[in-house]
Amino acid sequence: MNDPEKKRILVVEDDQHIAEGLSLNLSFQGYDVKIASDGANGLKAWRDWHPDLVVLDIMLPEIDGLSVLRQIRLEDEKLPILILSAKSASDDKIKGLACGVDDYLAKPFNLDEFLLRIERLLTRSSWYREEGSQQTAIAEAATRYTFGHNEIDFTTYTARVKEEEITLTEQEVKLLRLFIANRGKPLSRETILKVGWGYTSNVSTRTVDNFIVRFRKYFEDNPKDPVYFKSIRSVGYVFDHSQG
């Protein structure tokens, strides 16, 4: 049974020996630890278990670590995430930081340094929670997004378009968060599938196109000449926030 007083740490690592070693040492430090051996199970554990911190490898089966990171950041910008990866080049670190990781440690690593970084990330996270009302105000502001005459309410899963209210599905809200988080940046269909659906084996790129058609019908004055959800030939789509 989980101890509610213990901090929960989710380790998403496909190397069994490393994962078990981390779990053992983190448990010795008084943490409650869960292991996921691939990206898909990592996302499931994050949703079901609600960890206080995630240790994340980049090279994972099913869904790579950066896609896992992007999907978590669409819904939780505050959860501390530490990448632990054999990919130690500067470009890899920059990609991780750009996706919203809090810290990056290359393999092989020093165990004492790893444990110290975990402690500091959890301490910093507790500072954020103690800010109380300021953080609440920020969170409330992030629940709504307005562009043009459209307003999306992420808490009620509704959108107001002119004088009409539309009920949004969970998947529509997830994709809208993805576009808004990357406004002005081209997104490939493959990226949208990985982050929006998590696992791509049973989902085709045509599904993405169908959702874009739906968004244009909802939010564009002229769906055949969109100003917000634009196509980019041979790439995918971009949400043009400059029109908002």
Side-chain angles (χ1 to χ4, degrees):
M1 181 175 292
N2 293 320
D3 185 345
E5 298 300 319
K6 289 185 176 181
K7 294 292 186 182
R8 296 183 176 187
I9 297 180
L10 172 62
V11 176
V12 189
E13 169 64 65
D14 64 327
D15 187 310
Q16 182 179 351
H17 295 295
I18 292 178
E20 290 178 353
L22 292 176
S23 177
L24 181 64
N25 282 280
L26 288 168
S27 297
F28 283 158
Q29 299 298 313
Y31 300 119
D32 194 0
V33 185
K34 184 183 287 290
I35 296 173
S37 59
D38 59 60
N41 281 309
L43 284 171
K44 185 178 187 303
W46 161 64
R47 291 195 176 95
D48 296 344
W49 197 53
H50 307 293
D52 296 292
L53 182 145
V54 175
V55 177
L56 181 64
D57 190 12
I58 289 182
M59 295 181 288
L60 292 169
E62 305 289 357
I63 309 171
D64 66 88
L66 290 182
S67 295
V68 171
L69 173 60
R70 290 189 188 100
Q71 190 156 341
I72 292 175
R73 283 293 178 247
L74 289 178
E75 301 179 36
D76 191 336
E77 295 182 357
K78 297 291 189 292
L79 177 67
I81 299 177
L82 167 67
I83 282 182
L84 194 62
S85 176
K87 303 181 73 173
S88 59
S90 295
D91 287 348
D92 296 314
K93 293 181 180 180
I94 290 171
K95 287 178 183 177
L97 292 169
C99 292
V101 74
D102 297 283
D103 204 351
Y104 195 114
L105 190 59
K107 300 175 184 175
F109 56 91
N110 179 279
L111 178 60
D112 290 335
E113 179 183 359
F114 168 75
L115 294 173
L116 181 60
R117 289 179 184 238
I118 292 292
E119 182 182 359
R120 287 181 62 84
L121 285 172
L122 288 170
T123 300
R124 191 183 308 162
S125 177
S126 68
W127 292 343
Y128 292 147
R129 287 196 296 273
E130 288 171 3
E131 289 179 5
S133 59
Q134 181 181 358
Q135 292 301 318
T136 300
I138 293 172
E140 289 176 351
T143 62
R144 293 176 180 270
Y145 186 80
T146 301
F147 58 102
H149 51 64
N150 308 299
E151 182 181 71
I152 300 168
D153 189 325
F154 292 111
T155 58
T156 62
Y157 282 35
T158 59
R160 182 161 291 280
V161 181
K162 296 181 180 177
E163 299 302 317
E164 181 182 357
E165 186 171 276
I166 299 170
T167 299
L168 301 168
T169 67
E170 181 178 356
Q171 191 60 50
E172 287 172 338
V173 167
K174 185 181 292 186
L175 293 182
L176 286 168
R177 283 186 182 276
L178 174 62
F179 276 109
I180 292 168
N182 293 276
R183 49 192 177 272
K185 300 177 183 178
L187 295 174
S188 69
R189 290 175 176 84
E190 289 71 23
T191 296
I192 296 169
L193 282 173
K194 278 187 178 181
V195 180
W197 275 269
Y199 190 58
T200 63
S201 64
N202 297 317
V203 185
S204 70
T205 55
R206 184 60 188 166
T207 302
V208 175
D209 299 332
N210 291 337
F211 271 86
I212 297 299
V213 169
R214 198 182 302 176
F215 288 163
R216 288 171 176 170
K217 182 179 178 182
Y218 291 164
F219 303 117
E220 303 282 2
D221 288 333
N222 182 359
K224 294 182 179 180
D225 185 22
V227 297
Y228 300 115
F229 296 92
K230 297 180 178 180
S231 300
I232 302 179
R233 180 179 291 274
S234 302
V235 178
Y237 298 99
V238 62
F239 175 64
D240 188 353
H241 66 124
S242 68
Q243 303 296 325

